[in-house]
Amino acid sequence: MAFVQIIEFRTKDVEGMRAAEAEWERATEGRRTARRQIVTQDRDNPGRYLTIVFFDSYESAMQNSGMPETKAAAEKFLALAEGPATFHNLEVIEDKS
């Protein structure tokens, strides 16, 4: 079953976050299990961002999370964030276009 993770965070340094993300992408090329990612900015709440990450399954998401590069990137993200991120772990029960 497909799986989506929404990561909600606050930062004053979104460009630093994006640079850390790009570094993670280079480090995990060909091995990461994230299939798609959308980064959003809250128009009504400056400094609030949500990243939506798509996986084939919960298991593939956990495999991705367990990578040393993902753990290192998470530490960088935490240093750039204003507090810890909130994770929403969602099983996809219907997907329509």
Side-chain angles (χ1 to χ4, degrees):
M1 178 178 294
F3 181 78
V4 175
Q5 188 171 66
I6 300 174
I7 306 162
E8 182 178 348
F9 62 95
R10 296 192 66 78
T11 187
K12 291 180 182 168
D13 187 5
V14 73
E15 291 308 316
M17 288 280 201
R18 294 178 74 196
E21 178 69 26
E23 183 180 321
W24 174 81
E25 287 176 352
R26 285 189 299 276
T28 60
E29 183 67 36
R31 296 181 299 117
R32 66 181 169 269
T33 61
R35 299 294 173 225
R36 181 177 178 203
Q37 175 177 292
I38 300 171
V39 179
T40 66
Q41 177 179 335
D42 189 332
R43 292 181 60 97
D44 301 319
N45 192 342
R48 180 176 177 248
Y49 299 87
L50 291 96
T51 301
I52 306 158
V53 188
F54 299 81
F55 297 94
D56 291 339
S57 66
Y58 171 79
E59 292 76 19
S60 69
M62 294 304 98
Q63 178 183 351
N64 197 75
S65 292
M67 296 173 65
E69 296 88 351
T70 301
K71 292 178 182 183
E75 290 177 14
K76 290 179 184 177
F77 297 146
L78 184 58
L80 294 165
E82 297 175 14
T86 301
F87 291 82
H88 304 275
N89 298 306
L90 310 168
E91 296 283 355
V92 176
I93 60 172
E94 187 171 352
D95 182 0
K96 294 182 181 180
S97 294

